């Protein structure tokens, strides 16, 4: 089995910054694309950003230029640096990853979610 554990959420003021981390654990052979999604109250879960193994990134238009996704393959960890935060960034943030285990089974788990609240 594999698991994703997120950390780094919390409360920030508009214009401030937060950094989220998500570490994968388990019998990991390889992690493919990793990503962050978010879900605000009353809304559907939406893509925030993804990063491929080789480092190619993709961002939602609403966060381009403000958020940066990165990964440390040696630590099986993905990060989301969030700058110039806006109240509309308030949501529960989830990480996900495509993980191949040492037994050659493929999983795409989700983290438990971490709350980000931005006050105006």
């Amino acid at each position: 089995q594999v698991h994703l554990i997120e950390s780094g959420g919390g409360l920030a003021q508009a214009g401030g910054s937060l950094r989220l981390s998500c570490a994968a654990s388990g019998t990991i052979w390889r992690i493919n694309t990793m990503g962050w999604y978010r879900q605000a109250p009353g809304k559907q879960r939406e893509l925030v950003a993804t990063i491929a193994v080789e480092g190619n990134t993709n961002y939602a238009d609403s966060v381009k230029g403000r958020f940066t996704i990165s990964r440390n393959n040696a630590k099986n960890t993905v990060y989301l640096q969030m700058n110039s935060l806006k109240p509309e960034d308030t949501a529960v943030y989830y990480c996900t990853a495509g993980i191949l285990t040492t037994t050659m089974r493929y999983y795409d788990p989700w983290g438990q979610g971490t709350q980000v609240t931005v006050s105006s």
Side-chain angles (χ1 to χ4, degrees):
Q1 276 285 10
V2 292
H3 301 280
L4 298 174
I5 302 296
E6 298 143 349
S7 60
L11 178 65
Q13 290 189 332
S17 299
L18 286 172
R19 188 186 192 220
L20 306 182
S21 299
C22 174
S25 64
T27 53
I28 298 168
W29 177 256
R30 172 187 169 94
I31 301 178
N32 293 330
T33 298
M34 305 182 83
W36 290 95
Y37 287 70
R38 67 186 181 187
Q39 187 167 18
K43 295 187 177 181
Q44 290 190 330
R45 191 172 297 188
E46 64 176 3
L47 170 72
V48 176
T50 62
I51 184 166
V53 173
E54 65 274 17
N56 292 342
T57 57
N58 178 53
Y59 294 93
D61 288 342
S62 59
V63 306
K64 281 181 182 177
R66 300 189 298 120
F67 291 10
T68 302
I69 189 171
S70 61
R71 63 190 288 171
N72 183 324
N73 292 329
K75 295 183 177 181
N76 294 329
T77 300
V78 62
Y79 306 96
L80 186 68
Q81 178 66 44
M82 305 184 292
N83 298 330
S84 301
L85 284 163
K86 303 176 180 180
E88 50 264 43
D89 295 320
T90 296
V92 178
Y93 284 70
Y94 299 89
C95 68
T96 186
I99 300 175
L100 186 64
T101 68
T102 54
T103 57
M104 298 296 115
R105 296 190 69 175
Y106 186 82
Y107 295 91
D108 51 354
W110 291 82
Q112 80 282 4
T114 186
Q115 177 70 46
V116 171
T117 303
V118 183
S119 62
S120 58

